[in-house]
Amino acid sequence: MGELSERQKFILTLVIHEYVRSAQPVGSQTLVDRYALDMSSATVRNEMVALTEAGYLRQPHTSAGRIPTEEGYRYFVSRMVRQSELPAPIQRTISHQFYQTRHDIEEWMRLAASVLAHQSRVASLVTAPHSEQARLKHLELISTRGRQVLMVLVLTGGEIHQQILALPEPISQDKLTEAANHITQLYQGQDINGTNVSNSNLSAFEQVVLGLVSGLMGQSNALVAGEVYLDGLTNVLAEPEFAGSEEARRALHLLEERSLLEDLLSRTVLRSPASGVQVLIGGEGTWDDLRQCSVVLARYGTPGLATGTLGVLGPMRMPYGRAISTVRFVANLLSDLVTETMVE
Amino acid sequence: MGELSERQKFILTLVIHEYVRSAQPVGSQTLVDRYALDMSSATVRNEMVALTEAGYLRQPHTSAGRIPTEEGYRYFVSRMVRQSELPAPIQRTISHQFYQTRHDIEEWMRLAASVLAHQSRVASLVTAPHSEQARLKHLELISTRGRQVLMVLVLTGGEIHQQILALPEPISQDKLTEAANHITQLYQGQDINGTNVSNSNLSAFEQVVLGLVSGLMGQSNALVAGEVYLDGLTNVLAEPEFAGSEEARRALHLLEERSLLEDLLSRTVLRSPASGVQVLIGGEGTWDDLRQCSVVLARYGTPGLATGTLGVLGPMRMPYGRAISTVRFVANLLSDLVTETMVE
DNA sequence: TTTTAGCACTCTAGCCTTTAGAGTGCTAAT
DNA sequence: ATTAGCACTCTAAAGGCTAGAGTGCTAAAA
């Protein structure tokens, strides 16, 4: 599997481009015609033989055209599309859309998912910014109609959690506010995790609240990602390779099921130190459900404070250039927005 | 289309049951065999002719078995499965699951969606409780890293909104807290919508914040529903009638696209006064995207304070009995939980 | 009057066969 | 090194055939 000649790389690119476009095996004559190549189909055939022997192309059957192998896609992605950028007009359009939603964080996530899905016509996911070791920023206790209290917790990084607390007997809103302020004052900026939550300065009620806060923070820190926003799931159903097959269901199920998604994210972007875009092609031998799929992922945010993940999932026959540049661009955009707004 | 005899109703029920099970046209002999009927296939055939003439059954082609028509399903749903209840053991299992998540409101929504999807093997949706005329309960202002402020708004009904506020110059957290408390005190329990947001008791900064709060509340009140939780989208892809067809995509797209979903909800459950379960069969002539689908919907919560919607979407060939009783049961369960926890 | 056995008829899904044509690999000429 | 020419391969689409599931009708039985 040595180095390829320039012409071989060129033909590999064309085969991939044409296959992504048409979803049909690509023949030598087709390629010459469609791209007005300055050589004969026989020459293209010879190069195709070389690319096939190198493991970058394969034939569905003896007398058919070529389609890219997983290795073919990998070669293409790693050496040929890394540097491409999203066209400037599209960049401006997207930036403008984000500007219009500049006041609403949740809307950023939804918009990011929508942009990713539309730009590359695949399924997309965005996780809300999340810190693996958040500290307390603010606590609020709000009385409800019943004998219950709504607890609102703001963590550094900007995450907001709410939880319900059942009281043995009603407590007035004034007392609740007082308790919340007391705890906020004492524990602001700390990671109240699990242990060491007894404090003789606190009333019995405050002690209980503190225990719950501690539990919630521990639970939150254990998570790999924040809330998940999906979009464009129906896009991938339109792809011919997924027409009615089991494969599509399994891949989308991976996105629907939080635990599966956490596994995917924790073993990829979150393990890698670099902030670049990562491309998983064909499940990489680890995820059976993604054998027919590719995933393009990137992290955004401020490492240490709060980060999120975004990316797209589609068939292996995916417009990688477009997908990668879109993911990179949106990740940078979200990073800027979120870093500016980070609660610390 | 007069009244049906008891035996005709019985046979209609069997045909629907068998067709839902097998997804194949149902023949007279099949029915006699499988359900050990006490009559001959000829008798069944005669009744089938009557049911076909009445418009409740049809034949895909001359010499095939029968399948239910839309009208057939409607007749079945309106007169024969209304009263059925979810089996007690399943009720207990579900109640137990909800008990385990009793502290986390968001988790209720996710669990409700999950239960609906699993029990009837279809796609499900749940919208968070939402009030059409919420009032202010509490306002919080939190300084961020940049020159921006995170505004957290708690409304009656328990909805929480966050928004970003860009400052011309930094303001200390103390001043922010003071401003938030001031506004909370003055406007708590009010619906600050659009007009009349000038108040000489407020500083210029507080005036700005108040304007934003007003805008956000107006925006929130205009929405038909709260956040949307989906589950089981991949379930419906397994159905044979949706294998690779355009239909499945269009139906699921309706759930993905917020605006389409709002239209659906606003014209159905939200228009109907009764609190019962509503069944839409085959798009009811209004929703082209649902021509092959049925939707079972119900409202939950406390009318006037805050309500949400939940339901399932699947192929018209759907286990209506199971779907309806599950939707009704989960709606009642969520109503109890949410009403108890309602912030007012 | 209602039910049922019997029977001729209909229509599809599945299977086979055939065939057009897109594509290949090889060889020999350029 | 490239390319024209050609025999060969394989699939996907089209046509023909058949088994069998299911019907509607009629006339006998209950």
Side-chain angles (χ1 to χ4, degrees), chain B residues 7 40 43 45-46 61-63:
Chain B
R7 193 168 66 183
S40 78
T43 309
R45 272 204 294 285
N46 287 334
H61 51 85
T62 322
S63 72

Side-chain angles (χ1 to χ4, degrees), chain A residues 126-147:
Chain A
V126 179
T127 74
H130 170 78
S131 166
E132 282 179 46
Q133 207 183 4
R135 284 151 294 135
L136 180 65
K137 174 72 186 180
H138 187 87
L139 172 67
E140 193 71 30
L141 295 174
I142 298 160
S143 75
T144 68
R145 158 183 285 200
R147 237 173 43 277

Side-chain angles (χ1 to χ4, degrees), chain A residues 237 249, chain B residues 121-124 231-243 248-249 251-252 255 293 313-315:
Chain A
L237 298 179
R249 280 230 317 293
Chain B
R121 304 216 140 261
V122 288
S124 64
D231 201 345
L233 299 194
T234 52
N235 281 345
V236 316
L237 298 178
E239 301 297 340
E241 45 263 76
F242 289 151
R249 279 231 316 294
L252 295 188
L255 295 183
C293 299
L313 182 154

Side-chain angles (χ1 to χ4, degrees), chain A residues 7 38-43 45-47 61-63:
Chain A
R7 193 168 67 181
D38 207 15
M39 49 188 131
S40 78
S41 66
T43 308
R45 272 203 293 285
N46 288 333
E47 297 291 37
H61 51 84
T62 322
S63 72

